Amino acid sequence: MLETVVKRDRDFGTPARTSAETVRLTIDGQDVEVPAGTSIMRAAAETGINIPKLCATDSLEAFGSCRLCLVEIKGRRGYPASCTTPVEPGMVVYTETPKLHDLRRGVMELYISDHPLDCLTCPANGDCELQDMAGVVGLRNVRYGYEGANHRDDQVDESNPYFAYDPSKCIVCNRCVRACDETQGTFALTVDGRGFESRIVAGQKNSFLDSDCVSCGACVQACPTSSLTEKSVIMMGQAEHSVITTCAYCGVGCAFKAEMKGQEVVRMVPWKDGKANRGHSCVKGRFAWGYTTHKDRITTPMIRGNIADPWREVSWEEAIAYAASELKRIQGKYGRDSIGGITSSRCTNEETWLVQKLVRAGFGTNNVDTCARVCHSPTGYGLKSTIGESAGTQTFDSVMHTDVAIIMGANPSAAHPVFASRLKRRLRQGAKLIVIDPRAIEFVSAPHVKADYHLQVRPGTNTALLSSMAHVIATEGLIDEAFVAARCETKAFQEWRDFVSLPENSPEAMEAVTGVPAADLRGAARLYATHGNGSIYYGLGVTEHSQGSTTVMAIANLAMATGNMGREGVGVNPLRGQNNVQGSCDMGSFPHELPGYRHISDDAVRGDFEHDWNVILQAEPGLRIPNMFDAAIDGTFKGLYCQGEDIVQSDPDTQHVAKALASMECIIIQDMFLNETAKYAHVFLPGSSFMEKDGTFTNAERRMSRVRKIVEPKAGYADWEITCLLSNALGYPMNYTHASEIMDEIARLTPTFAGVSFKKIDELGGSVQWPCNEQAPEGTPIMHVGEFVRGKGKFIITKYVPSEERSTRKFPLLLTTGRILSQYNVGAQTRRTPNVAWHSEDLLEIHPQDAEDRGIKEGDWVAVQSRSGETVLRANVTERVQPGVVYTTFHFPESGANVVTTDSSDWATGCPEYKVTAVQARRVTEPSEWQAKWTRFNDIQQKLLSERERAQGETAPI
């Protein structure tokens, strides 16, 4: 996976075809057999014959515009383009003849006659297909001269922060336009003009920054010249080696080729063979990696005795010794269970494993929890209860076999854009779409994509809506009786069918609750049940509710009732928000479960860990994060080790969280930046970025992918090494020499991962989907084939229970939250990149009617008040939200979105109800008191950081 020299990926010119029928032909005297529908160009390339090309690439359908790939076919007149000509039985093809040489040189002369001849100073020098093809065809001179009209003085568009568009280098091959259309699905680029006047333009002749371009990088990747080039390449030149690794943003888990010069990253290129992303990317993974070297990064450990004191830089030895002594002191004074730890969904599986091991074996308690619980724990509970496994059922590739997709409580275009592009492609091929969301997300109506139904559900009523869909399916005879009889528990199914068939669950009865017209809901239910392969993709808009677990069960019920489980194109698919949400759950980050979702009270399971870890583990579950906060305020929880998580910004009811943290005596933060939680910390251990460590991430499709160290840790240690240092200082030995040894331990103790190792992942092409064990040595792409993990699927009655968070006269609006494409989670990474060019603050979306009633106009300051607190945001007046609903994101700490969210949570897992908060909105003229305090505090912190920089490494208060 390490290349000594950066090489361009092999390009076969046109996409591969799959067909049971094969065609035999002859190319340059060689007998060739390929699937029917294969192009001559592809057939030749698979034989080792490379036909010259410029407009063709195997990630896009053939276009046939460059006329460089001409061939001769025996018995046929003319010189057809090999990219657009399919093979035929008995065809005899010649790719190299004197006539073809002349034609290709003539075509290349025309390109070069209107192209700058600055190859030695061009940023693509050494990585330019035009340059390569000029050599391949043997071009030695240009007969036409360089006088007359040309495009060599066209102005460069440098508006995009990550890449430049130089039209003078453009050969109008259309690859960028087609990549934007076919691969990304945004349709932001087009060809303006005809003939000689043809030019590539963004939008309506906008700059790239002002157009609909989403900066995914597909056009840059497709460009065969330097017309579209990364600014990092322009500045640094071509890379000299590369390493394959995995993106550290969302739960898609894209594979990237990090192209390097020494210890510097030149660019991140989506890996063509990446099984999760298939060579595609989004703006975050492709370009927003500059945070790893941002000036805000802390690279020296720091300690302080009181949060009112200045930070003091110390050695690693002193910081670790101080942290360990404080934890020991607290346990000696307040008892064993007075401390705990929080794992991170941004860290690797190996690092998460060690943190929960440290808490259980080193601290001697089960007080361990994870940020994954505050987003997707209802997925684990709901799917485990119904089908037996706490994870999604499919691969991302599976969506290309779906006939009707449901997107519920998710916004893939913003939060999982690479998957969104694949879904858009399937929809353009004719699949149907049902969107269930309070907002009009992009999939409701986008270029060449339009939802067949948008069920604009009222926040907090998901369970009621799904019960109504089930009512239609049950009462109209749309249940797959054969599937249910063979695969599901009979008694539970009969009870469920009786329940959903009750008149009170009908769409007509529930219309007043959900706000969804009964006719639309009936139509959507019939479409899902009868239109072939049905798949459901859902996100935090399902789980972050008081009935989050109930709704997940209702989703599983629908899939089982319609037989949409256990094959390609169907299934239940949770879209995980962060890069390792799935993995942090798999690795045992919950206070009641050991790795592999096995309860801590199970004597046999616990015994295996005790034997391997040489320690006695507690049999009782520990504290969840909210319980830790409550216990801290009560005075019984005093110490916390928090790795890679900013609980002050990300957890609900910010003021309650802050009060809890202020009540503790030792908080250890391990992160790259002084985040909001670090304001309450006593020890700061500088963490490492994904570029600085080895390990694995597990994405939303259960795919465990390798993360590879491409640069040395800026602070000296990878995160897993820091955990080992702390554990050793506490007296519990951890003596691993490489992250692969941790994975070996994971496999040894967790049956689901028994066959996983770094070596196995490399052998399988960089990733493997669990379960991977003796029964499935190469992993499990599709779950529940033939039978469910639990044996028989179990239908569970999902009675709708209204949320306690509901609109009232005092708080008449319902606030829901979400994400935006250019920012990520709490913004710690993306806020420190040029992504702020697209989104520099969190806004409050409010319907025009609600805005008019309150005298609010676009851009006004708006106070948002709930029973928990108040914050102020600028208004975005839009019909994306329905009347009575307001919406915001939570990427910027100063916005204080979680100041107003409450302690309401899912009944089964304690997952916070971020998606439903009763609020009032009013026009104001300035930020809130809370925000004014935040600004003052932040200004002081930034001033002290600046003083630290000026100290140039000398020990100084911060």
Side-chain angles (χ1 to χ4, degrees):
M1 295 297 178
L2 172 66
E3 296 181 354
T4 55
V5 178
V6 174
K7 296 178 291 186
R8 193 180 301 144
D9 289 332
R10 178 75 188 279
D11 193 325
F12 293 87
T14 62
R17 300 301 184 204
T18 55
S19 174
E21 180 186 352
T22 62
V23 173
R24 296 180 65 88
L25 70 156
T26 301
I27 303 177
D28 290 346
Q30 296 188 45
D31 291 333
V32 180
E33 185 173 5
V34 293
T38 301
S39 71
I40 292 175
M41 176 179 284
R42 175 105 197 180
E46 291 182 357
T47 311
I49 301 169
N50 295 316
I51 299 173
K53 65 186 187 303
L54 281 173
C55 73
T57 180
D58 59 14
S59 63
L60 303 171
E61 292 299 324
F63 194 62
S65 70
C66 76
R67 314 314 294 172
L68 205 61
C69 70
L70 306 180
V71 294
E72 291 187 39
I73 301 175
K74 186 176 181 180
R76 184 176 299 186
R77 296 177 60 187
Y79 304 92
S82 62
C83 65
T84 56
T85 306
V87 297
E88 295 176 6
M91 182 180 274
V92 177
V93 179
Y94 303 99
T95 70
E96 294 289 343
T97 68
K99 183 60 177 178
L100 290 174
H101 293 166
D102 290 342
L103 289 171
R104 290 169 182 164
R105 276 195 297 268
V107 169
M108 185 59 70
E109 277 189 87
L110 291 172
Y111 281 121
I112 298 303
S113 69
D114 190 23
H115 197 84
L117 298 181
D118 58 353
C119 291
L120 293 180
T121 58
C122 177
N125 186 22
D127 187 30
C128 175
E129 293 179 51
L130 182 68
Q131 188 180 53
D132 294 345
M133 291 302 105
V136 167
V137 305
L139 184 66
R140 296 295 176 261
N141 59 74
V142 177
R143 294 168 291 172
Y144 307 112
Y146 299 100
E147 303 302 323
N150 60 68
H151 300 97
R152 293 193 294 275
D153 294 325
D154 287 0
Q155 293 299 305
V156 178
D157 178 359
E158 296 185 302
S159 61
N160 188 285
Y162 294 117
F163 61 84
Y165 168 51
D166 184 349
S168 73
K169 306 289 180 67
C170 178
I171 60 172
V172 199
C173 65
N174 262 275
R175 273 164 61 165
C176 60
V177 177
R178 290 147 54 212
C180 189
D181 296 354
E182 297 176 27
T183 304
Q184 169 56 29
T186 297
F187 295 83
L189 305 180
T190 190
V191 179
D192 181 62
R194 296 172 65 84
F196 178 79
E197 301 298 330
S198 298
R199 292 287 88 187
I200 303 297
V201 297
Q204 301 297 313
K205 298 186 179 181
N206 304 112
S207 69
F208 267 82
L209 184 62
D210 294 331
S211 73
D212 292 333
C213 169
V214 294
S215 298
C216 67
C219 60
V220 180
Q221 183 78 355
C223 183
T225 71
S226 66
S227 185
L228 286 160
T229 305
E230 300 94 335
K231 290 183 176 179
S232 58
V233 173
I234 294 173
M235 180 177 66
M236 300 175 66
Q238 297 297 324
E240 47 86 15
H241 75 276
S242 67
V243 182
I244 304 298
T245 191
T246 303
C247 180
Y249 278 116
C250 80
V252 173
C254 296
F256 277 88
K257 183 183 289 187
E259 296 191 353
M260 311 286 296
K261 269 191 172 183
Q263 287 282 300
E264 288 189 288
V265 179
V266 176
R267 64 178 178 177
M268 298 288 284
V269 179
W271 189 32
K272 187 176 181 178
D273 294 329
K275 295 182 177 64
N277 57 318
R278 302 295 181 189
H280 191 34
S281 61
C282 81
V283 62
K284 294 187 286 289
R286 181 72 156 89
F287 296 117
W289 38 267
Y291 69 89
T292 61
T293 55
H294 194 275
K295 63 182 181 61
D296 287 353
R297 271 198 73 172
I298 305 298
T299 57
T300 304
M302 303 184 297
I303 63 175
R304 59 184 176 184
N306 188 287
I307 61 173
D309 296 338
W311 285 107
R312 182 167 62 88
E313 290 186 344
V314 296
S315 66
W316 274 105
E317 291 76 13
E318 183 175 352
I320 293 295
Y322 179 76
S325 65
E326 281 295 282
L327 294 176
K328 289 178 180 179
R329 177 188 66 79
I330 290 170
Q331 283 189 306
K333 183 176 180 180
Y334 298 101
R336 181 193 66 209
D337 294 324
S338 60
I339 64 173
I342 297 176
T343 72
S344 173
S345 293
R346 292 189 289 130
C347 290
T348 65
N349 287 315
E350 294 73 16
E351 289 160 348
T352 300
W353 173 278
L354 288 193
V355 172
Q356 63 87 28
K357 180 179 180 180
L358 169 65
V359 173
R360 300 187 198 280
F363 293 3
T365 178
N366 289 314
N367 293 339
V368 63
D369 206 354
T370 174
C371 59
R373 190 190 54 76
V374 304
C375 59
H376 262 291
S377 51
T379 286
Y381 187 91
L383 295 184
K384 187 81 169 179
S385 301
T386 51
I387 59 178
E389 192 57 270
S390 303
T393 62
Q394 312 295 119
T395 64
F396 288 137
D397 286 342
S398 173
V399 76
M400 298 309 294
H401 301 276
T402 199
D403 298 307
V404 55
I406 294 177
I407 301 175
M408 184 172 187
N411 188 3
S413 301
H416 305 88
V418 171
F419 166 73
S421 293
R422 201 171 309 178
L423 175 56
K424 288 177 183 177
R425 185 185 306 176
R426 181 58 184 154
L427 295 174
R428 293 195 301 273
Q429 293 173 352
K432 302 296 183 181
L433 176 65
I434 300 164
V435 173
I436 304 174
D437 200 284
R439 293 176 72 238
I441 63 171
E442 188 202 23
F443 271 93
V444 171
S445 183
H448 300 277
V449 170
K450 185 176 178 63
D452 296 272
Y453 291 95
H454 177 206
L455 308 183
Q456 201 163 13
V457 63
R458 184 171 292 123
T461 64
N462 287 337
T463 299
L465 182 140
L466 292 176
S467 292
S468 292
M469 289 186 70
H471 176 92
V472 175
I473 291 168
T475 58
E476 295 188 6
L478 304 180
I479 290 173
D480 187 334
E481 300 285 356
F483 180 91
V484 171
R487 300 281 303 269
C488 302
E489 293 182 7
T490 302
K491 182 174 183 294
F493 165 68
Q494 291 173 342
E495 292 173 347
W496 172 83
R497 178 164 58 183
D498 291 343
F499 165 73
V500 298
S501 298
L502 293 172
E504 54 261 38
N505 286 319
S506 71
E508 291 75 16
M510 283 295 187
E511 183 171 333
V513 174
T514 65
V516 176
D520 288 349
L521 199 147
R522 284 187 176 275
R526 292 165 184 154
L527 180 63
Y528 173 69
T530 64
H531 199 69
N533 287 341
S535 57
I536 302 175
Y537 296 89
Y538 70 88
L540 304 185
V542 163
T543 57
E544 291 178 347
H545 287 269
S546 61
Q547 281 200 286
S549 294
T550 310
T551 304
V552 173
M553 294 175 191
I555 288 172
N557 290 341
L558 276 188
M560 290 190 293
T562 54
N564 280 308
M565 295 288 277
R567 64 182 186 277
E568 290 275 22
V570 298
V572 175
N573 306 280
L575 296 174
R576 307 292 191 167
Q578 296 188 70
N579 55 300
N580 204 34
V581 166
Q582 182 68 58
S584 65
C585 298
D586 298 342
M587 294 299 118
S589 295
F590 297 129
H592 65 290
E593 286 180 333
L594 286 163
Y597 305 97
R598 293 166 294 170
H599 204 277
I600 190 71
S601 63
D602 187 315
D603 291 341
V605 172
R606 200 174 62 256
D608 290 340
F609 282 85
E610 289 175 338
H611 179 265
D612 197 273
W613 291 353
N614 193 31
V615 69
I616 300 299
L617 302 178
Q618 300 301 314
E620 294 297 319
L623 300 177
R624 294 171 173 169
I625 292 173
N627 306 129
M628 295 180 194
F629 294 157
D630 292 341
I633 293 172
D634 291 341
T636 58
F637 189 86
K638 292 292 185 178
L640 179 67
Y641 173 46
C642 182
Q643 182 187 80
E645 178 63 13
D646 189 358
I647 51 180
V648 171
Q649 188 178 342
S650 63
D651 280 40
D653 197 353
T654 299
Q655 296 180 89
H656 178 73
V657 176
K659 182 179 179 181
L661 296 181
S663 302
M664 298 185 197
E665 295 183 6
C666 182
I667 295 175
I668 304 164
I669 296 298
Q670 186 171 317
D671 212 300
M672 291 187 291
F673 304 104
L674 279 174
N675 57 29
E676 297 301 295
T677 308
K679 295 175 180 178
Y680 301 89
H682 307 82
V683 179
F684 187 91
L685 304 176
S688 56
S689 76
F690 78 107
M691 294 183 178
E692 302 161 16
K693 61 181 71 173
D694 285 293
T696 56
F697 293 149
T698 306
N699 75 349
E701 49 173 3
R702 297 169 285 103
R703 185 179 302 282
M704 303 176 77
S705 301
R706 280 283 278 116
V707 180
R708 294 179 176 83
K709 184 168 71 172
I710 60 178
V711 297
E712 291 301 315
K714 296 286 187 290
Y717 293 105
D719 286 303
W720 66 267
E721 294 175 304
I722 299 170
T723 302
C724 290
L725 291 173
L726 181 58
S727 185
N728 290 332
L730 285 167
Y732 182 76
M734 289 188 185
N735 298 309
Y736 308 94
T737 61
H738 191 267
S740 61
E741 297 172 2
I742 307 171
M743 177 54 72
D744 292 341
E745 180 175 306
I746 294 169
R748 187 168 65 246
L749 288 170
T750 317
T752 305
F753 313 119
V756 180
S757 66
F758 283 17
K759 181 181 179 182
K760 169 62 73 69
I761 291 173
D762 288 342
E763 290 172 349
L764 294 177
S767 67
V768 62
Q769 288 176 270
W770 66 256
C772 177
N773 46 33
E774 189 174 318
Q775 293 73 37
E778 296 190 357
T780 310
I782 305 294
M783 293 281 286
H784 313 291
V785 177
E787 69 172 355
F788 292 105
V789 171
R790 71 183 307 277
K792 295 283 189 177
K794 183 176 183 179
F795 284 83
I796 297 178
I797 291 175
T798 54
K799 183 176 177 58
Y800 167 62
V801 178
S803 169
E804 293 181 2
E805 279 295 310
R806 63 191 76 177
S807 56
T808 63
R809 290 182 63 185
K810 184 175 181 181
F811 301 117
L813 303 174
L814 293 178
L815 170 70
T816 188
T817 60
R819 302 182 181 190
I820 200 164
L821 171 63
S822 59
Q823 295 294 332
Y824 171 71
N825 209 41
V826 298
Q829 294 144 282
T830 45
R831 282 187 283 109
R832 292 177 170 91
T833 71
N835 279 26
V836 293
W838 291 281
H839 188 76
S840 58
E841 64 177 319
D842 294 317
L843 303 173
L844 182 76
E845 291 186 2
I846 184 169
H847 189 273
Q849 185 60 58
D850 292 325
E852 183 178 346
D853 291 345
R854 292 161 176 79
I856 295 169
K857 294 182 175 59
E858 181 74 23
D860 283 350
W861 286 111
V862 179
V864 183
Q865 183 184 21
S866 72
R867 60 185 173 89
S868 290
E870 177 179 298
T871 193
V872 172
L873 301 164
R874 291 194 185 276
N876 175 207
V877 181
T878 175
E879 292 186 346
R880 279 193 297 269
V881 291
Q882 57 187 291
V885 174
V886 292
Y887 167 90
T888 191
T889 52
F890 56 95
H891 304 302
F892 292 81
E894 60 268 33
S895 71
N898 281 322
V899 171
V900 296
T901 52
T902 68
D903 58 359
S904 182
S905 63
D906 173 53
W907 64 271
T909 65
C911 178
E913 190 171 32
Y914 291 107
K915 303 306 181 189
V916 188
T917 304
V919 299
Q920 178 58 289
R922 69 182 191 280
R923 183 176 177 274
V924 295
T925 57
E926 60 185 9
S928 68
E929 180 181 348
W930 177 88
Q931 287 164 311
K933 290 180 180 177
W934 182 92
T935 300
R936 290 194 296 271
F937 195 104
N938 198 61
D939 287 345
I940 293 171
Q941 180 170 282
Q942 291 302 315
K943 180 181 178 181
L944 292 173
L945 281 171
S946 297
E947 292 176 358
R948 171 178 173 268
E949 288 177 17
R950 286 195 295 271
Q952 296 182 338
E954 296 177 10
T955 301
I958 295 179

